[in-house]
Amino acid sequence: MAWRRSLWEWSSVPRQRKCGRVPFTSGGGAVVRLSDAEDGNRRAGVAGLQSCGSWSCPVCARSISAARAAEVAAVLRSAVDQRCSVALATFTMRHHKGLSLRSCWDAIGSAWRSTTSGAGWQKDKDQFGVVGWLRAVEITHGEEHGFHVHVHALIVFDGPVSVELMGELGHRMFARWNRALGRKGFSAVEDRGGLDVRSVQLDGDSIDQVSTYISKAAYEAVSSATKHARGGNRSPFQILRDAVETGNAADIELYWEFEQASLGRKKITWSNALREWAGLHVVEKTDGEIAAENRGGEPVLILPKATWIVVRHDVADLLDAVELGGRLAGQRWLRSRGLAFVVVEP
């Protein structure tokens, strides 16, 4: 939440500067809600505010990621139920400092479309029994080599498939991947990190781990932002953390580049019919719809617009009070500051 407050001031995306800050209506305020969490504790939140639905927003990205993780888990559980096999394949490309994030992202998007379309892909699907795929994009940045953009994909097969056959399919896909990258002025080397294919162990723990990993690949693991990626690379949210803590202009500019390059992009995409095969809604909710959803809970306090303008920078303190002592504690917190509110009776 502290990171989002910083983005209110200097984000390059107008809707992100309003996220969690501006009420839905010009005369409206905010609603404090309280719910019971699975761990037995209470969780307080704020409703009635605009959301940006952006993967470059640390709050919206967390909500979107949780929803996408549940969808990925549904795919893996369907694979278990239907006795299918699943491969996790990673495709990367060569990169160097000076390349823009937008150009790299455009290149891997084009390469993935070429990899999973056309006569070659149809032949592979038929020969290997591919049900479908879902793909997530991961981004890191290193001081030496700049932005690194790569793809993690789950590939579902219609029956038991050996690791060797998974590798053979990956090899064929990589050939199309590299040719497509070449058309954009990029390249990859298969045996130097360009391709990694492994079998997903379809047990309970693995399903949860893989679904979380795939979804978090799309927003670079906000929950792990205190750690640096391998080789000293940083995820965009690690860059944001450093920018907030130090005010470093170079880090702010890097984050602006991520914000601008990610606008309008889907970080997780699906092959045709895989959602229906997995028992999910065929019409996929947009990231914005997920971020704007009411996460449940009981409304306990209504904060008029004037109160919200004062409270919004310290709202975490108010929510902590409500979580610990309920609506009465929230009332005391507001009264001590001379702020108006309306109690929502149970």
Side-chain angles (χ1 to χ4, degrees):
M1 199 169 283
W3 294 355
R4 182 167 65 176
R5 287 199 301 271
S6 296
L7 291 174
W8 291 348
E9 304 300 328
W10 54 260
S11 172
S12 66
V13 180
R15 68 186 185 193
Q16 199 157 294
R17 294 197 297 270
K18 298 179 180 180
C19 185
R21 179 174 67 93
V22 178
F24 284 129
T25 61
S26 59
V31 179
V32 177
R33 305 179 69 90
L34 187 62
S35 60
D36 294 323
E38 293 181 359
D39 59 8
N41 296 316
R42 293 186 293 186
R43 293 287 182 268
V46 184
L49 305 172
Q50 295 184 32
S51 58
C52 66
S54 171
W55 282 91
S56 60
C57 168
V59 175
C60 288
R62 187 179 294 276
S63 298
I64 297 166
S65 179
R68 298 305 185 203
E71 293 177 331
V72 175
V75 170
L76 297 176
R77 292 192 177 95
S78 292
V80 172
D81 293 341
Q82 300 181 50
R83 299 184 178 181
C84 298
S85 301
V86 180
L88 174 61
T90 299
F91 296 82
T92 69
M93 68 181 185
R94 286 177 164 176
H95 59 104
H96 60 80
K97 196 168 187 177
L99 289 171
S100 72
L101 175 56
R102 190 183 300 276
S103 66
C104 293
W105 211 328
D106 287 345
I108 66 104
S110 176
W112 184 253
R113 288 190 293 272
S114 296
T115 300
T116 55
S117 63
W121 173 241
Q122 188 59 53
K123 180 179 178 181
D124 287 345
K125 283 181 62 180
D126 295 341
Q127 182 173 345
F128 290 89
V130 175
V131 174
W133 53 262
L134 64 86
R135 180 221 70 173
V137 174
E138 184 173 10
I139 299 165
T140 60
H141 181 275
E143 288 300 319
E144 185 175 355
H145 297 294
F147 280 107
H148 176 41
V149 187
H150 50 286
V151 164
H152 300 291
L154 287 179
I155 303 170
V156 182
F157 301 87
D158 61 8
V161 174
S162 68
V163 176
E164 289 74 20
L165 283 177
M166 291 179 181
E168 175 59 26
L169 174 62
H171 172 74
R172 297 186 186 188
M173 294 175 69
F174 184 84
R176 294 192 293 275
W177 168 264
N178 197 30
R179 286 196 298 270
L181 286 176
R183 292 192 290 270
K184 295 292 184 179
F186 293 84
S187 66
V189 180
E190 183 173 349
D191 59 358
R192 293 186 181 178
L195 173 68
D196 180 78
V197 181
R198 59 191 65 188
S199 177
V200 176
Q201 301 303 309
L202 294 175
D203 57 61
D205 289 340
S206 291
I207 287 174
D208 291 338
Q209 290 170 6
V210 172
S211 60
T212 300
Y213 176 71
I214 289 292
S215 65
K216 282 187 176 180
Y219 82 112
E220 290 74 53
V222 171
S223 61
S224 300
T226 56
K227 300 178 181 178
H228 279 71
R230 182 180 301 176
N233 288 352
R234 293 181 296 170
S235 75
F237 284 109
Q238 290 166 341
I239 294 170
L240 174 60
R241 175 205 61 192
D242 292 343
V244 170
E245 290 180 354
T246 68
N248 183 281
D251 284 338
I252 293 175
E253 290 179 359
L254 281 175
Y255 202 74
W256 282 344
E257 185 171 359
F258 171 61
E259 287 182 330
Q260 292 298 317
S262 65
L263 284 175
R265 298 190 196 258
K266 295 179 68 174
K267 309 305 185 299
I268 296 181
T269 55
W270 302 70
S271 63
N272 292 334
L274 184 63
R275 293 181 62 84
E276 184 176 8
W277 175 87
L280 297 167
H281 292 294
V282 177
V283 178
E284 180 182 359
K285 289 182 180 179
T286 67
D287 294 340
E289 288 171 338
I290 291 172
E293 281 182 340
N294 187 334
R295 293 296 172 185
E298 174 190 2
V300 292
L301 296 167
I302 297 174
L303 310 181
K305 182 179 179 180
T307 295
W308 173 245
I309 290 173
V310 175
V311 166
R312 61 193 182 192
H313 288 284
D314 297 314
V315 69
D317 291 339
L318 172 59
L319 297 181
D320 286 343
V322 173
E323 288 180 356
L324 290 172
R327 60 168 49 80
L328 290 177
Q331 293 175 52
R332 288 193 295 269
W333 191 95
L334 291 163
R335 283 198 188 100
S336 70
R337 291 159 175 80
L339 298 172
F341 60 89
V342 177
V343 177
V344 181
E345 297 296 341

